[in-house]
């Protein structure tokens, strides 16, 4: 098996604040890898660093055996696509869904854009009725589906997914998770997926890292998580908290 | 006792190039000093219902209702100045898109301080201290650093908590929280729910909690409204959620991944056209 993504002692520093402190992980090609952990612990920063959007101050990132430099070229974005956490910020509000989907196709010189756009909308459960809506005319979940369609339309081999379903209701979440599993199987994709929902990560991922305060807490397999065979108290607390709210606390 | 909020037959319509979108179609409910959950499919009109109560419906939309009353005030006929005053003080909303609703060119700390100072006369130093305390109350690690950050410099969950901190300083009587914890890790999520819970129990605030997370809603709220295609299809006591009758609600409960349940693919809803009638 080949390694799709290898991160070694990655460090990200904003001015004098270190958001990622020497984090290492390796994701095999075709594997689905999860990131969970405290809010603000650096999960999005890790994905953004891979995508070339965070100030890396140490360590290395290899994608499909190639070490990444400071800048990402066009070829990189054909291989690696990211779905951002914030479905509002990541889509230009004054563009129609059609334009948003057409743009990456045009940049990368894909043919058959008409067919690809229709298929992409269909895949994420948005009918053609949404094609000429502006993104500010969509609900939160509808926007997130457009963002996923936009990432998939370039047929990348690695997909970085930052909370891809946290803006979606359970029924649409199930559809999107099924869709993501389906395309991963069909196209042999590699996923790195952030979610605060342990059940989503256990469902979607083979292995995962628990993070806190810019550092790794532990790495474990989904099977270990499910069997509650965890090493660290923080992970155990997350498992307990997943069971819901208890009043009077 | 009179309810805090009465909504009767609310409609919100958007004229668009491809026809009219009926976002909310005849929603009615009342709210006391309690926790009311609104769940429902993406696009079912949850946020637009909340925005209509707040007076934040886009101007080009058409809004109508038989009645929309907050503490005896007719919201549909209240002059804009009165609605603005209500919005800043007695009614607050945590918007679904925190980063979008925070001012991008003002630091998190200053935004909280400004909100506080529109409500109370306090010195700059006191305001700063209170704002920092609020950030800590919502479990922000390193509050002093985050105080000086701009919205694009904080994580998704930190932005959401900054919005909650701003709401806390305003101390509203009615709070509409639109997916307030969707970006938070589960332990922080419970802390934030604890804060909201105390506001309801101790200050008698009315809370509308919009969420797509059924598990969370059923463990946290008193009552739940289920929306589908702009309408309420079911209303239940939160503890009775597992006894829901509408096939949409039942389907929602069944399609969530659970730790330990190995279901690939997850069951999905077969939507029936008659649900939207
Ligand atoms: N541009 C920036 N300038 C300064 N600090 C930043 C910037 N971007 C991120 N940070 C800081 O880095 C830390 C990690 O943020 P990140 O967004 O990676 O967290 P996260 O794990 O994704 O959290 P969440 O679950 O809330 O989305 C936070 O403390 C944040 O304030
Ligand atoms: N400006 C607009 N123009 C046209 N349609 C709109 C506009 N704003 C919202 N809508 C439509 O109104 C419907 C209800 O939207 P709303 O934001 O209330 O959904 P929601 O239930 O909050 O969904 P989500 O869970 O995805 O946030 C959606 O179908 C949406 O596309
Ligand atoms: Mg994040
Ligand atoms: Mg919404």
């Amino acid at each position: 098996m080949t390694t799709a993504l290898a991160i070694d002692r990655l460090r990200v520093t904003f001015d004098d604040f270190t958001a990622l402190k020497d984090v290492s992980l390796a994701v095999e090609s075709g594997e689905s890898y999860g990131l969970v952990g405290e809010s603000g612990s650096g999960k999005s920063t890790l994905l953004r660093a891979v995508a070339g959007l965070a100030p890396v101050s140490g360590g290395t990132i290899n994608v499909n055996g190639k070490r990444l430099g400071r800048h990402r070229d066009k070829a990189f974005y054909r291989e690696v696509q990211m779905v951002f956490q914030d479905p509002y910020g990541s889509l230009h509000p004054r563009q129609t869904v059609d334009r948003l989907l057409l743009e990456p196709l045009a940049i990368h010189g894909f043919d058959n854009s008409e067919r690809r756009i229709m298929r992409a909308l269909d895949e994420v459960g948005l009918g053609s009725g949404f094609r000429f809506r502006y993104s500010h005319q969509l609900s939160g979940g509808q926007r997130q589906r457009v963002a996923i369609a936009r990432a998939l339309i370039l047929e990348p081999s690695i997909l970085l997914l930052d909370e891809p379903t946290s803006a979606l209701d359970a029924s649409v979440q199930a559809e999107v998770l099924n869709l993501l599993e389906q395309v991963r199987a069909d196209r042999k994709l590699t996923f790195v997926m952030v979610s605060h929902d342990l059940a989503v990560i256990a469902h979607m991922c083979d292995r995962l890292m628990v993070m806190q305060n810019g550092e790794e807490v532990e790495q474990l397999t989904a099977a270990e998580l499910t069997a509650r065979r965890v090493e660290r108290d923080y992970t155990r607390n997350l498992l307990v908290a997943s069971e819901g709210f208890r009043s009077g606390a | 006792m009179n309810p805090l909020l009465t909504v009767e037959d609310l409609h919100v319509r958007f004229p668009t190039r491809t026809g009219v979108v009926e976002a909310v179609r005849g929603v009615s409910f009342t709210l006391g000093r309690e926790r009311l959950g609104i769940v429902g499919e993406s696009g079912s009109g949850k946020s637009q219902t909340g925005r209509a109560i707040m007076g934040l419906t886009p101007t080009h939309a058409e809004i109508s209702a038989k009645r929309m009353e907050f503490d005896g005030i007719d919201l549909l006929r209240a002059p804009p100045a009165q609605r603005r005053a209500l919005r800043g003080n007695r009614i607050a909303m945590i918007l679904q898109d925190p980063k979008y609703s925070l001012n991008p060119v003002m630091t998190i700390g200053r935004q909280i301080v400004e909100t506080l100072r529109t409500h109370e006369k306090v010195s700059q130093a006191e305001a700063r201290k209170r704002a920092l305390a609020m950030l800590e109350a919502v479990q922000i690690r390193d509050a002093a650093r985050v105080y000086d950050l701009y919205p694009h410099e904080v994580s998704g969950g930190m932005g959401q908590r900054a919005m909650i901190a701003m709401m806390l300083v305003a101390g509203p009587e009615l709070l509409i929280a639109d997916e307030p914890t969707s970006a938070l890790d589960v332990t922080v999520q419970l802390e934030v729910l604890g804060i909201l819970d105390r506001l309801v129990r101790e200050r008698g605030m009315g809370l509308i909690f919009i969420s797509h997370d059924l598990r969370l809603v059923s463990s946290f709220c008193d009552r739940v409204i289920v929306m589908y295609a702009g309408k309420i299809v079911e209303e239940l006591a939160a503890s009775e959620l597992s006894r829901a009758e509408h096939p949409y609600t039942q389907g929602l409960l069944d399609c969530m991944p659970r730790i330990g349940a190995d279901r690939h693919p997850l069951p999905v809803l077969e939507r029936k056209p008659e649900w939207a009638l």
Side-chain angles (χ1 to χ4, degrees), chain B residues 176-231:
Chain B
I176 303 164
D178 194 355
E179 304 275 7
T181 63
S182 64
L184 301 180
D185 68 81
V186 280
T187 54
V188 171
Q189 189 172 65
L190 294 192
E191 298 284 349
V192 168
L193 293 182
I195 293 172
L196 296 179
D197 186 48
R198 280 196 294 280
L199 290 175
V200 174
R201 286 189 300 147
E202 290 164 17
R203 285 206 225 153
M205 184 181 79
L207 175 67
I208 297 178
F209 188 88
I210 299 174
S211 172
H212 60 268
D213 189 335
L214 272 175
R215 231 175 329 199
L216 195 69
V217 167
S218 61
S219 69
F220 177 65
C221 292
D222 304 302
R223 266 190 312 138
V224 183
I225 283 174
V226 184
M227 286 185 70
Y228 187 83
K231 283 193 164 174

Side-chain angles (χ1 to χ4, degrees), chain A residues 82-101:
Chain A
M82 176 157 177
V83 175
F84 292 90
Q85 179 167 11
D86 177 6
Y88 293 85
S90 60
L91 299 180
H92 194 292
R94 298 276 155 211
Q95 282 190 349
T96 60
V97 170
D98 186 63
R99 274 286 299 279
L100 285 163
L101 295 177

Side-chain angles (χ1 to χ4, degrees), chain A:
Chain A
M1 247 215 258
T2 56
T3 306
L5 175 67
I7 292 177
D8 190 40
R9 280 165 293 170
L10 184 65
R11 204 167 244 280
V12 171
T13 312
F14 297 102
D15 300 321
D16 45 10
F17 175 73
T18 309
L20 273 189
K21 303 167 188 164
D22 302 328
V23 173
S24 302
L25 58 87
V27 184
E28 299 306 316
S29 167
E31 192 182 22
S32 173
Y33 191 90
L35 293 174
V36 297
E38 189 178 39
S39 168
S41 62
K43 305 180 298 291
S44 299
T45 301
L46 192 149
L47 296 192
R48 295 177 64 91
V50 175
L53 301 170
V56 171
S57 58
T60 59
I61 306 172
N62 282 275
V63 167
N64 294 329
K66 232 178 82 199
R67 167 131 182 220
L68 297 180
R70 193 166 281 278
H71 298 288
R72 308 283 181 270
D73 52 13
K74 223 165 91 175
F76 172 85
Y77 290 109
R78 272 232 43 198
E79 283 299 298
V80 183
Q81 279 287 311
M82 176 157 177
V83 175
F84 292 90
Q85 179 167 11
D86 177 6
Y88 293 85
S90 60
L91 299 180
H92 194 292
R94 298 276 155 211
Q95 282 190 349
T96 60
V97 170
D98 186 63
R99 274 286 299 279
L100 285 163
L101 295 177
L102 189 60
E103 191 182 70
L105 292 175
I107 290 175
H108 292 273
F110 278 58
D111 56 1
N112 268 325
S113 45
E114 174 76 18
R115 213 196 65 234
R116 288 178 197 272
I117 289 174
M118 295 306 283
R119 195 184 66 189
L121 284 176
D122 194 47
E123 268 185 339
V124 295
L126 289 175
S128 52
F130 285 91
R131 186 165 167 194
F132 296 102
R133 287 254 202 119
Y134 288 90
S135 72
H136 71 91
Q137 297 176 323
L138 304 174
S139 77
Q142 290 161 348
R143 278 179 224 211
Q144 189 64 317
R145 281 187 271 174
V146 172
I148 291 172
R150 192 159 107 129
L152 286 175
I153 208 165
L154 288 180
E155 302 179 9
S157 69
I158 300 178
L159 208 50
L160 309 174
L161 298 153
D162 197 352
E163 304 274 10
T165 60
S166 68
L168 306 178
D169 72 280
S171 68
V172 180
Q173 166 169 289
E175 283 163 22
V176 170
L177 294 182
N178 288 344
L179 159 74
L180 289 171
E181 280 204 306
Q182 186 68 48
V183 291
R184 188 164 78 89
D186 292 348
R187 305 188 196 163
K188 312 246 176 320
L189 295 187
T190 307
F191 283 178
V192 182
M193 180 164 172
V194 173
S195 173
H196 64 269
D197 187 332
L198 289 184
V200 167
I201 291 291
H203 178 78
M204 292 294 290
C205 300
D206 310 308
R207 288 188 303 133
L208 62 137
M209 179 188 285
V210 181
M211 294 181 66
Q212 190 179 28
N213 206 11
E215 289 176 307
E216 169 185 332
V217 172
E218 63 180 308
Q219 295 196 50
L220 63 170
T221 64
E224 285 166 335
L225 183 78
T226 302
R228 290 171 163 69
R229 273 202 308 278
V230 305
E231 301 271 333
R232 302 284 296 271
D233 284 342
Y234 180 69
T235 313
R236 216 162 279 129
N237 291 344
L238 284 181
L239 276 166
V240 172
S242 305
E243 281 156 22
F245 181 77
R246 284 191 194 85
S247 179

Side-chain angles (χ1 to χ4, degrees), chain A residues 88 139-141 167, chain B residues 41-43 45-48 96 178-179 210:
Chain A
Y88 293 85
S139 77
Chain B
E41 182 164 63
S42 171
K46 306 181 295 293
S47 298
Q48 290 301 336
Q96 186 171 5
D178 194 355
E179 304 275 7
I210 299 174

Side-chain angles (χ1 to χ4, degrees), chain B residues 133-144:
Chain B
M134 287 302 167
L135 289 174
E136 276 160 19
V138 292
Q139 306 291 312
I140 287 194
R141 203 185 257 275
D142 208 356

